[in-house]
Amino acid sequence: MVLSQENSSNINASANLSAEELIAQNLIKPKSESFINFLKRSLFELSNLKFALTSFVVNSLRRRYRRSVLGFAWSLLNPLTTMVVMTTVFSLLFHNNPKEFGIYIFTGILPWSFLLDSITGGSLSLVDAEGFLKKVYIPKLFFPLVIVSTEAVNFIFSLSSLMFLALALGMHLSFSLLTLPLAIAILYAFNLGSALFLAISTVYFRDLTHITRQLLQAFFYLVPICYPLNVVPPKYLFLFKLNPFYYFINLFRIIICDGHFPQAKDWLIPSAIAVIVLFMGFSLLKKTESDIIFRL
Amino acid sequence: MISDKVYIEIENAWLKFRIYKNRSPALKEAILSRFKPKPDIAEITEFDALKNINLSLRGGDRVGLVGLNGAGKSTLLKMIVGIYPPKYGNVHVRGKLTPLIELGTGFDAELSGRENIFLNGALLGRSYKQMKSLEQEIIDFSELGEFIDLPIKYYSSGMHGRLAFSIGTIVDPEILIVDEIFATGDAHFVNKATNRMKALFTNSQIVMLVSHDTQKIVDLCNRVLVLHKGEVINDGNPKEMVDFYLKEIVA
């Protein structure tokens, strides 16, 4: 084998210099990449892992209900019990018709659980994946994506099962339900962006996962999930509209509960929020991608 | 067919590790430190895990890496695989790469051996179709028989190792990265696995091997790099390099 004599002499010559000194001498250049190229590369890397993604999602769903007698039925029963409790308590409190109010609550609770579980689960996804990340090369985006996709599947299952229940309770079918996939896609994008952003931030500040949990608990009561918006005094209404979560829940309410087609602004506001959050997530990923592994 | 293509090219690559006394500064401290007159310097220390690595590997290269513990051998392999991105410089890898660094990564103890074949294969970047066509071959090679449908938490460590080895080595790669792989299991399987490794070594375009067994390195490689404290301090003929390593560094 030809040994590159040239190379080894190079090494010896620069061995006494630090990396910073070599940069100063223009011997090595720090890398730079445009945002678009970064996105393209990330998506390309993920496309090679399509099968891994589906296996991870399927396995985590299976693991969740493994060995339980009712199995997947729990994805229906969990929100159902919450809904029954909430409906009983709050319809007594607000003197609402429990049937209508039940549907109102479930259209709030299900998207909220999707959001909550994606964000709290997602925020730990990179920290928990340390074992993988240090042994094989997997794009960082993979792990938040697995969590959010798992929750999305769970969400779709509970939503469709509860829809049958709602029909039994006297909800009427409306054509607006056809727009449901778009609403789910928007919420999915928002959850992915938040999960990605928090997953990376949590690598740097581990306390963040606890902070997120506490904040989301408070937000549960700040979003009109278990009470109708009309109990809020009009002068405080703007405070509720400043809350980004409100717009996502609202979208599902309009489609399922009211049975209307959402208006342009009902689509645009949550879409804009989702795009901004997704952009924040990817920007942070671009900035930290090659550093995360050293911080785990 | 061994080609003359350059498969791996590393230019002026540096890798820095950070060591945290306090591994992840809590948010509170991060905020407080802004008000502190001077930051705690001792909190983080950086050291060069790899210094100015320049390397160009062509088809046919069988490269052995020798060096003391902590010299950067495994780190160099992990940089090539993409786990550790270099702080400065470039690493280009052109070709299908199979890392045999830690076998059985991503094994899920709750899942059956069969399910783990797919999961582990997926992590190596393979498709469902490809794994479906390899499934039987892997099961046959691992000799797990009917145990394949049992959750792997009930496997003995030998069975576990056999399955991991079989999945990792079933496809001939272009670039083979090996970090101290020794097949586990009974004598019969070790024998079979050694033959499998030999076939992989012959069929791959490039092999990079880390081992403390210098005899193995001399037998299997045609080029050896000597690493010391993150630097490639010598590079050349296996016999000479191993002698150099044993005399200059180990002694």
Side-chain angles (χ1 to χ4, degrees), chain A residues 3 14 62-63 295-296, chain B residues 12 20 23 52 108 115 235:
Chain A
L3 154 68
S14 54
R62 262 192 218 160
R63 206 177 309 122
R295 305 285 190 133
L296 284 171
Chain B
N12 300 102
Y20 291 86
R23 274 192 99 200
N52 205 26
D108 188 329
E115 289 167 313
D235 176 350

Side-chain angles (χ1 to χ4, degrees), chain A residues 38-69:
Chain A
F38 166 74
L39 272 187
K40 274 192 204 155
R41 184 171 55 83
S42 304
L43 292 179
F44 173 74
E45 284 180 339
L46 274 182
S47 68
N48 290 333
L49 286 172
K50 261 183 289 183
F51 172 48
L53 192 67
T54 43
S55 319
F56 268 66
V57 170
V58 169
N59 285 334
S60 58
L61 283 172
R62 262 192 218 160
R63 206 177 309 122
R64 186 172 298 185
Y65 304 112
R66 184 173 293 265
R67 284 198 180 176
S68 63
V69 179

Side-chain angles (χ1 to χ4, degrees), chain B residues 2 92 96 125 140 162 167 173 182 188 198 226:
Chain B
I2 299 292
H92 299 286
K96 184 104 189 86
D140 291 346
R162 260 151 53 194
I167 301 171
F182 298 109
H188 162 71
K198 277 186 187 147
V226 184

